[in-house]
Amino acid sequence: MLCEMCGKDVEMTSRVRVEGTILRLGPECARFGELVDPVPAPTHVAPPARPGARPIAPPRPTGTGRRLEERDLYTDIGELELAPDWAKRVRIAREHLGWTPEVLGKKLNEKKSVVLKIESGGLHPPDALVRKIEHLLKIRLRAEPEGASS
Ligand SMILES: [Zn+2]
């Protein structure tokens, strides 16, 4: 689009009244006249409140973001009932496979510190992680009702 005042190729033109004539001008020249078209950009001036109309409040940030973060830390206790020595079972099985806590962590998509916390019993793994550990180490962490072979 060409600005009708300076002839420059501009991205967009606005209808501007300059000395009684309406011209299509680029943003640089538009300020020399009086805009005819409504400004396309949203105005920052709030429209006058109509009687009975409720003021539109800006959306307030909610706590959802924080809650998601908390869910990442495995603070919740899983539904599965784990064997009393589940932490020990993890460590023994891992050592049996010759894996370092780091290796197990990588396979579980967890940090080494998470593995160490689980093995020390300081972190109760959520159900999904229990299943992953059981699958990877080929062990059972859950309390088994029918005679455990140990
Ligand atoms: Zn121009």
Side-chain angles (χ1 to χ4, degrees):
M1 288 176 121
L2 294 179
C3 169
E4 288 178 5
M5 191 181 270
C6 65
K8 254 197 250 173
D9 198 359
V10 290
E11 266 187 22
M12 58 162 279
T13 58
S14 324
R15 293 201 319 143
V16 177
R17 186 183 289 124
V18 183
E19 289 167 2
T21 315
I22 288 167
L23 299 170
R24 293 194 166 273
L25 305 182
E28 271 179 58
C29 298
R31 59 199 162 105
F32 295 118
E34 195 189 325
L35 269 179
V36 177
D37 284 346
V39 189
T43 49
H44 291 287
V45 184
R50 275 170 294 167
R54 273 201 277 164
I56 300 153
R60 287 186 173 275
T62 54
T64 43
R66 231 185 114 232
R67 229 178 300 160
L68 275 174
E69 259 173 57
E70 281 165 8
R71 275 188 57 177
D72 281 345
L73 310 166
Y74 295 113
T75 46
D76 56 331
I77 303 297
E79 297 289 314
L80 302 174
E81 199 187 321
L82 299 185
D85 62 340
W86 60 270
K88 206 172 112 193
R89 290 188 194 188
V90 174
R91 186 177 54 81
I92 289 170
R94 180 195 41 85
E95 284 174 350
H96 182 74
L97 288 164
W99 292 352
T100 61
E102 211 164 358
V103 168
L104 178 57
K106 266 189 192 150
K107 288 177 191 287
L108 293 170
N109 258 327
E110 298 293 344
K111 286 187 200 125
K112 176 187 160 190
S113 60
V114 171
V115 173
L116 290 173
K117 265 187 213 167
I118 288 169
E119 290 186 0
S120 68
L123 180 66
H124 191 297
D127 295 353
L129 198 53
V130 167
R131 292 195 181 93
K132 263 161 109 181
I133 292 168
E134 285 182 333
H135 182 75
L136 270 167
L137 299 178
K138 296 178 176 64
I139 53 168
R140 298 280 292 173
L141 294 182
R142 287 167 259 189
E144 282 169 294
E146 66 231 62
S149 58
S150 64

